[in-house]
Amino acid sequence: MKKNIVKVFGTGTTSQQFITSTIHKYLNNAMLNYDIDIIDDINTFLELKLESIPAVQLNNESIVTLGKNNELKNKLRKFLSDILSRENFGSLKKVVVPVDFSETSTNAFMFAHRFATQIDAVTSVLHVHSSIKEKVEIEKRFDQFISQVDFDWKSDLLKASLIEKNYKIGHVNNELLNLITTSKPELVIMGSTGHSIQNNLFGSVSLSVIKKSPSNVLLIPKDAKYKKIKKIVFAFNNPNNLKKHLELTNHYANLFNAKMTYLYVRQDDAYDKDLIDFNPSENTDFLTLHNRNFSSALETFVEENPVEMLMVRDKQNHIFDSVNNQNNIKKLSLYTEVPLFIIK
Amino acid sequence: MNLLNPISSIMTKDVITLSPDASISQAAEIFNDKKIHHIPVVNDMKLIGIVSKSDYLFFRRGFLNDNTDERIEDIRMNNYEVQDIMTQGIATMEPTDKINVALEVFKENMFHAIPIVEDGNLKGIVTTYDIISTLAKSNGAVAEYTNV
């Protein structure tokens, strides 16, 4: 099989070295096997009639001159995105976010892009249009929508998460689940319209995806804005099989350097033998609440104790618990005012 | 203006500040309404950074074209906090420091505002505009500076 080659043209300046190391870092992280050729021979530049350096080229495709400063950053970002998108972004982590251009989904997209940046993931954006009519216009609108975010505004090159565009014709629910199944994202981030959710197509999609998605889901209420995540609460009403989720909750607490609170909402005073082994690490709190209503207990708790993210489990052990839990998840997704992370 | 006077004599005392978790939209509103160029960022009165109009415009630069969708821009600005764009590790002075020290700092550096702090607490701010404005009001300013 022919090996892909990325050529980096320049005269050994710091920016050429930086371009080379950035390309290497991304392709390496994506576990894509590319050769990188550094070309610093002026005669070659003349022979190829290069307009300016630094420049880059994939195999024998057109040479892309990168310019300077912001132009360089944006062009290199586009060059890398083009290469990676052909390879489905390799093994880079992904955060999938569906958008329908509504305020709620646009807000979820902004949140997702910031969240993905924080966890070094690619933001995979999906827009689904129901008919082939107006395909060109909608696709153009989608491109414009993405381009307002897909750049680096900080001095650090490629600091902001790269964006993958997915434009599909079909049914949003099916296409979203297809994308989740094929790309196996770290997380699916969706906007939630709150109380009006049942009258809203996108809202019903959220509930359906929560139920069927094999990946974890983060619901963003329409008025929730991205905030530095300093405090995470993981709430549960059944301590069974808790240990297997602690790794995930700790993973996110570490990623954000956040304080973790484990909140056990118990229905009665019964002794829970499973909690004997529950030994959360340092920088964590362990609290218990007595309340038979899990969702309303959490609503009250987060009202009184501001948190940036609330984590709950989707599945319980027993069928009865599972049905109860689905109702809890549904209620929480309708009424939560903080981002709700649903562990699958 | 006597350049050996304390900086507290010319600093702005009623400073508009923001908390680090304020949104960029809140900063934008202040820049637009109050016609100021620097907003100190404080946490429990302690100065932790400063956000300048240049920082804000740099953040917005991707939107300054004809294709900008203001609605998307507003949502984006609400999803970033002041602490994402503020400058940290800034030069500060104490209220008792002399005005001529501020002049030297402005002369040697590219920035135009110095927060005035006492025990880490923000007490005021002095900008190049404050200096020029005080100089303009003071008839013998140039002569006094020559004599220092």
Side-chain angles (χ1 to χ4, degrees):
Chain A
M1 199 172 118
K2 197 182 164 191
K3 200 167 187 188
N4 288 302
I5 300 171
V6 175
K7 292 175 190 156
V8 183
F9 301 91
T11 52
T13 57
T14 319
S15 70
Q16 188 196 11
Q17 289 165 14
F18 197 60
I19 291 161
T20 308
S21 64
T22 305
I23 293 172
H24 177 74
K25 186 183 111 184
Y26 268 83
L27 294 176
N28 212 29
N29 287 351
M31 292 178 129
L32 297 173
N33 197 9
Y34 279 57
D35 279 344
I36 299 179
D37 277 0
I38 296 167
I39 298 170
D40 54 8
D41 174 34
I42 294 173
N43 289 327
T44 309
F45 302 161
L46 293 170
E47 205 176 291
L48 291 168
K49 295 179 182 166
L50 278 187
E51 286 173 15
S52 66
I53 50 168
V56 284
Q57 183 184 31
L58 174 64
N59 299 326
N60 289 318
E61 296 179 13
S62 306
I63 295 174
V64 179
T65 55
L66 297 176
K68 289 179 181 173
N69 304 326
N70 292 338
E71 187 190 4
L72 184 149
K73 287 203 280 185
N74 289 331
K75 283 188 169 177
L76 181 58
R77 186 178 175 83
K78 188 172 182 318
F79 178 74
L80 255 173
S81 291
D82 285 347
I83 296 178
L84 289 165
S85 63
R86 294 179 202 197
E87 308 270 5
N88 199 24
F89 285 81
S91 57
L92 290 176
K93 279 190 292 189
K94 283 186 187 176
V95 166
V96 164
V97 55
V99 295
D100 62 357
F101 307 129
S102 67
E103 199 170 320
T104 303
S105 78
T106 304
N107 187 54
F109 167 49
M110 298 298 170
F111 194 108
H113 191 240
R114 297 223 56 202
F115 198 97
T117 299
Q118 189 71 33
I119 65 168
D120 282 331
V122 173
T123 311
S124 183
V125 192
L126 171 71
H127 177 70
V128 183
H129 194 52
S130 55
S131 85
I132 196 91
K133 265 173 78 179
E134 301 170 327
K135 182 178 184 290
V136 176
E137 290 82 357
I138 300 287
E139 212 164 352
K140 196 175 162 192
R141 186 178 176 194
F142 186 43
D143 283 345
Q144 177 60 30
F145 181 84
I146 300 293
S147 69
Q148 285 200 216
V149 180
D150 195 9
F151 62 89
D152 288 285
W153 57 269
K154 274 196 166 181
S155 52
D156 303 341
L157 191 61
L158 286 161
K159 181 75 179 166
S161 159
L162 292 176
I163 297 180
E164 177 186 42
K165 282 182 281 190
N166 303 279
Y167 176 70
K168 302 281 180 192
I169 306 285
H171 185 269
V172 60
N173 204 347
N174 297 340
E175 294 299 335
L176 179 52
L177 285 167
N178 277 346
L179 182 63
I180 296 169
T181 310
T182 53
S183 63
K184 298 181 177 62
E186 170 102 355
L187 194 61
V188 181
I189 298 185
M190 292 189 295
S192 162
T193 45
H195 304 288
S196 62
I197 201 163
Q198 279 150 330
N199 301 323
N200 181 293
L201 175 65
F202 214 68
S204 64
V205 167
S206 304
L207 289 172
S208 171
V209 172
I210 292 168
K211 203 171 171 185
K212 294 177 185 167
S213 167
S215 299
N216 299 321
V217 176
L218 178 59
L219 276 186
I220 311 299
K222 64 179 170 50
D223 294 325
K225 307 299 175 198
Y226 187 88
K227 293 266 176 199
K228 193 176 173 189
I229 296 177
K230 291 181 279 192
K231 193 169 179 186
I232 301 172
V233 169
F234 171 44
F236 53 95
N237 57 356
N238 181 344
N240 292 339
N241 288 330
L242 202 56
K243 273 187 176 174
K244 69 178 183 184
H245 296 301
L246 293 185
E247 200 177 322
L248 182 79
T249 56
N250 283 335
H251 168 69
Y252 277 97
N254 290 336
L255 272 177
F256 293 104
N257 199 20
K259 186 174 175 71
M260 192 82 209
T261 298
Y262 294 94
L263 178 66
Y264 179 26
V265 183
R266 48 198 306 168
Q267 300 194 2
D268 48 43
D269 291 327
Y271 176 71
D272 292 300
K273 63 177 172 47
D274 291 288
L275 280 175
I276 292 172
D277 295 331
F278 182 73
N279 185 23
S281 55
E282 284 178 26
N283 197 27
T284 58
D285 282 340
F286 179 66
L287 305 172
T288 55
L289 282 177
H290 285 209
N291 195 322
R292 293 192 71 80
N293 189 328
F294 184 63
S295 53
S296 74
L298 291 189
E299 277 170 46
T300 310
F301 182 83
V302 296
E303 258 177 43
E304 292 167 358
N305 305 275
V307 299
E308 281 77 33
M309 190 160 79
L310 176 63
M311 297 177 100
V312 291
R313 293 189 292 178
D314 179 41
K315 290 193 173 59
Q316 303 285 353
N317 274 347
H318 310 293
I319 293 171
F320 178 71
D321 282 346
S322 184
V323 172
N324 263 348
N325 205 50
Q326 284 299 331
N327 287 334
N328 281 327
I329 297 288
K330 190 174 175 180
K331 279 183 204 160
L332 280 170
S333 65
L334 287 171
Y335 294 106
T336 183
E337 289 183 2
V338 298
L340 179 68
F341 190 113
I342 300 154
I343 303 171
K344 300 296 290 185
Chain B
M1 178 171 68
N2 185 345
L3 297 175
L4 296 177
N5 279 347
I7 198 76
S8 58
S9 63
I10 62 163
M11 72 182 186
T12 302
K13 293 187 180 76
D14 296 325
V15 189
I16 297 170
T17 61
L18 281 170
S19 66
D21 58 359
S23 71
I24 308 279
S25 301
Q26 286 171 272
E29 212 175 299
I30 293 171
F31 285 132
N32 292 334
D33 294 350
K34 305 292 180 188
K35 309 290 178 208
I36 57 174
H37 289 79
H38 304 88
I39 311 172
V41 182
V42 294
N43 204 356
D44 294 332
M45 288 298 289
K46 296 280 181 203
L47 180 78
I48 58 165
I50 195 163
V51 60
S52 69
K53 197 160 185 179
S54 308
D55 296 326
Y56 163 66
L57 291 174
F58 187 65
F59 173 78
R60 284 194 60 180
R61 74 178 194 277
F63 291 102
L64 303 177
N65 62 57
D66 293 341
N67 295 323
T68 299
D69 183 331
E70 291 292 334
R71 188 184 60 99
I72 297 175
E73 184 182 2
D74 285 346
I75 296 172
R76 179 176 176 261
M77 285 206 293
N78 275 322
N79 276 283
Y80 279 88
E81 296 171 324
V82 160
Q83 62 191 329
D84 295 319
I85 67 166
M86 71 182 184
T87 304
Q88 289 170 281
I90 44 177
T92 60
M93 289 177 68
E94 295 201 356
T96 49
D97 286 333
K98 306 285 185 272
I99 296 172
N100 63 345
V101 178
L103 276 179
E104 283 302 315
V105 174
F106 285 135
K107 201 176 85 180
E108 297 298 325
N109 295 282
M110 294 291 286
F111 48 80
H112 297 278
I114 307 172
I116 311 300
V117 295
E118 199 171 51
D119 299 328
N121 292 332
L122 184 72
K123 293 292 173 190
I125 191 167
V126 66
T127 66
T128 47
Y129 175 81
D130 294 325
I131 304 255
I132 293 165
S133 172
T134 313
L135 269 174
K137 285 179 202 159
S138 166
N139 291 333
V142 176
E144 280 178 29
Y145 187 56
T146 318
N147 292 333
V148 169

